Amino acid sequence: MTALLVWIGGCSPSDSQVSQHTYAVDTTSYAIPWEQIEVYMKAAPSPVQVAMWLRQEKVPFYGENLHDPTLAGRYSGLQGAANLGVYLTDMAYAHATAQYQKAYEYLSSVNRLASLYGVEDILSAERIKRLDRLQDQPDSVQKLFTQYYGEIQERLTETGQQAMLRHMILGGWSESLHIVLTLLEKDPKSQPLAEVIFLQKGLLPLLMKLYSVDTASSAASREIVAHLAAIQGELEQVAIQEVGSTDATVQKGVIHMRFRQRVVLSPVQVQSLRRRLLPLRQFIVRV
Amino acid sequence: MKGVFLGVSLSFLGMLQAQSGCRQLIPACREAHMEDYNWDGRYWKAELYGGETTEIYYTFFRGLRYRLIPCGRSSAQKALHLRIYNANRTLLLDTRQQGERSYWDLELSSTQLLVLELYYPMGEGCAALLIGHKNGEYIEASAH
């Protein structure tokens, strides 16, 4: 496993461009019990699911805070995997808001990074052309994105690259939170966006479990856990107001769950969360 | 010593067969029940023995409709059931109270992280879960 990770890092076509600040591929000989933490890897929503929800909410596109697609060639190893998650999320957001040209730029970044982990065939030129032909059919594109994202996860798992998958999930999660905070800054009264912030209270401990397993052996994991703990500390301040009881009803096999609650989130709290998220995002995207 | 080795090997082979059988369930369930829902490629599987359960954490968004496909049948020919909890571990629904179905559709009035617990009321066997999603309708928290 260790050998594989080193090999992947070493084979990067862009090694010469990688900055000295890039965090190194783990070379320590320790085993992570992936089967035990797999359940936490699947807790965070996929970029595709986030995009589908953003499209449903009809949110606007704010491109100024997204990651720079031209930096894709400067990442490799674990950092490359984290940025693969970031670019996938930016691509999905751009597509969800009908910014097809921007989505295409992110797709190119995704494709470039995908080649580092042997998943480039999943986003081959042929498949990209197929996506292109469907540009005016967002539902079909979403279905294909869903399929491709599933295939990437499957391939990374089957080829023993769970360490990459873990970082891809972290990158995707942090970028989703970054986008939701941007949207909240523009629309501070949005309850659906505030709900997504509140749910992070439940997600953060699971993400921390993902990285706590190897803090003794990995400096990167130690730093990530410290950043996540800082965000969690801030989230503790986010309150929920119960305005009634929760109930679940079932009709003809359809379960309706009603949560009578309201998330109380002020613009000051949004800014505080932004400040806590920033160091983690910097850690992921820096070159 | 040989006997012990043979025993261990047979038990290992049995586990492998169970795991591969478990995995074979997934495409069949997807084919039969996913219909027009998007499947993000993730699935959960476990071998459940002697009343064991397995937990799944999943983020559900308001405005999307989800299809939950519990996949498997116990040695006692019982359907696989789901208990749904909120993030604070309050039980919201046990599908066993609603009868047996091949899948359940789910909509929420707000975005939530839920914990799904898979279990067999009787017997043992492979248990898997697939989750699909598509655009849904907004349900109001106050509606009944």
Side-chain angles (χ1 to χ4, degrees):
Chain A
M1 174 67 171
T2 305
L4 180 67
L5 297 183
V6 173
W7 180 81
I8 289 161
C11 261
S12 160
S14 55
D15 264 355
S16 57
Q17 296 175 316
V18 174
S19 150
Q20 293 304 305
H21 299 296
T22 303
Y23 47 90
V25 173
D26 279 346
T27 53
T28 44
S29 55
Y30 61 90
I32 295 177
W34 294 113
E35 65 287 351
Q36 284 173 29
I37 59 168
E38 195 188 4
V39 66
Y40 308 125
M41 287 217 211
K42 294 172 179 170
S46 71
V48 184
Q49 202 189 346
V50 172
M52 204 160 174
W53 168 72
L54 290 171
R55 189 155 73 93
Q56 188 81 334
E57 291 291 332
K58 298 184 173 60
V59 300
F61 178 74
Y62 299 109
E64 65 273 16
N65 287 337
L66 298 183
H67 194 20
D68 180 353
T70 64
L71 294 177
R74 301 182 67 178
Y75 301 116
S76 65
L78 291 170
Q79 194 187 16
N83 280 281
L84 179 58
V86 170
Y87 285 131
L88 276 165
T89 303
D90 287 344
M91 176 185 77
Y93 170 52
H95 187 270
T97 48
Q99 303 294 314
Y100 300 124
Q101 180 55 39
K102 203 76 194 159
Y104 196 82
E105 287 172 32
Y106 283 114
L107 182 57
S108 304
S109 307
V110 165
N111 190 251
R112 182 163 192 160
L113 284 171
S115 67
L116 301 180
Y117 312 107
V119 293
E120 67 273 24
D121 57 309
I122 295 170
L123 295 159
S124 64
E126 189 45 51
R127 283 182 147 196
I128 289 173
K129 274 185 201 156
R130 196 173 159 204
L131 283 173
D132 240 7
R133 285 195 294 269
L134 292 168
Q135 254 187 25
D136 55 347
Q137 298 172 46
D139 286 338
S140 304
V141 173
Q142 211 117 40
K143 219 170 184 78
L144 284 178
F145 275 163
T146 306
Q147 180 195 332
Y148 298 170
Y149 185 76
E151 287 175 9
I152 291 172
Q153 288 178 102
E154 181 86 1
R155 179 78 60 79
L156 290 176
T157 305
E158 280 182 351
T159 53
Q161 298 184 75
Q162 289 93 337
M164 303 300 172
L165 180 57
R166 180 172 66 162
H167 269 53
M168 186 178 92
I169 290 166
L170 178 78
W173 169 81
S174 71
E175 193 67 0
S176 298
L177 185 54
H178 175 70
I179 291 169
V180 171
L181 286 172
T182 302
L183 291 168
L184 262 170
E185 282 159 2
K186 310 282 185 184
D187 183 8
K189 289 185 180 162
S190 167
Q191 192 55 207
L193 293 170
E195 284 167 6
V196 174
I197 298 298
F198 186 78
L199 91 87
Q200 308 302 327
K201 272 179 125 166
L203 262 182
L204 247 294
L206 305 179
L207 284 168
M208 285 172 77
K209 281 184 184 175
L210 262 187
Y211 281 94
S212 297
V213 288
D214 62 340
T215 45
S217 325
S218 162
S221 289
R222 275 196 296 279
E223 186 164 350
I224 290 165
V225 168
H227 290 315
L228 292 175
I231 300 167
Q232 192 186 23
E234 203 58 51
L235 283 168
E236 291 304 318
Q237 312 303 317
V238 181
I240 197 153
Q241 196 180 358
E242 300 286 346
V243 291
S245 57
T246 297
D247 69 44
T249 55
V250 184
Q251 279 180 328
K252 295 178 184 167
V254 183
I255 304 166
H256 290 109
M257 289 197 168
R258 294 183 177 85
F259 300 84
R260 297 179 179 87
Q261 50 193 207
R262 189 171 173 75
V263 180
V264 184
L265 184 66
S266 70
V268 174
Q269 285 175 308
V270 170
Q271 284 312 310
S272 300
L273 271 169
R274 159 81 69 214
R275 277 196 297 277
R276 296 295 186 189
L277 177 65
L278 195 63
L280 175 63
R281 192 167 184 276
Q282 281 301 320
F283 178 72
I284 291 170
V285 304
R286 70 190 176 192
V287 289
Chain B
M1 186 63 186
K2 254 185 184 173
V4 172
F5 178 72
L6 186 65
V8 169
S9 302
L10 284 175
S11 133
F12 180 66
L13 271 176
M15 269 171 59
L16 276 182
Q17 276 175 348
Q19 282 294 326
S20 82
C22 210
R23 203 177 166 145
Q24 281 165 6
L25 271 175
I26 291 155
C29 282
R30 182 192 175 190
E31 188 67 31
H33 306 303
M34 195 57 85
E35 296 176 0
D36 62 336
Y37 284 74
N38 292 322
W39 178 48
D40 68 5
R42 296 188 282 190
Y43 56 83
W44 295 259
K45 60 179 170 55
E47 288 288 326
L48 301 181
Y49 295 101
E52 280 177 334
T53 62
T54 187
E55 281 181 351
I56 289 139
Y57 300 87
Y58 198 87
T59 302
F60 293 90
F61 285 94
R62 159 193 187 262
L64 300 187
R65 180 183 271 221
Y66 293 87
R67 174 152 293 181
L68 313 176
I69 309 173
C71 197
R73 205 144 190 98
S74 77
S75 55
Q77 289 307 306
K78 294 289 178 190
L80 186 60
H81 285 286
L82 282 167
R83 291 189 194 102
I84 306 178
Y85 301 87
N86 68 10
N88 296 325
R89 290 276 165 180
T90 304
L91 180 64
L92 302 173
L93 185 87
D94 185 340
T95 60
R96 195 179 171 191
Q97 313 301 326
Q98 308 294 332
E100 291 196 359
R101 289 187 70 92
S102 304
Y103 59 82
W104 300 88
D105 290 341
L106 172 65
E107 287 187 326
L108 300 89
S109 66
S110 68
T111 299
Q112 300 279 331
L113 175 72
L114 298 179
V115 185
L116 311 178
E117 188 179 50
L118 288 176
Y119 74 99
Y120 283 117
M122 201 187 290
E124 54 201 32
C126 169
L129 181 75
L130 295 175
I131 302 178
H133 53 81
K134 66 176 185 180
N135 290 339
E137 288 171 14
Y138 291 107
I139 62 166
E140 294 302 322
S142 56
H144 269 284

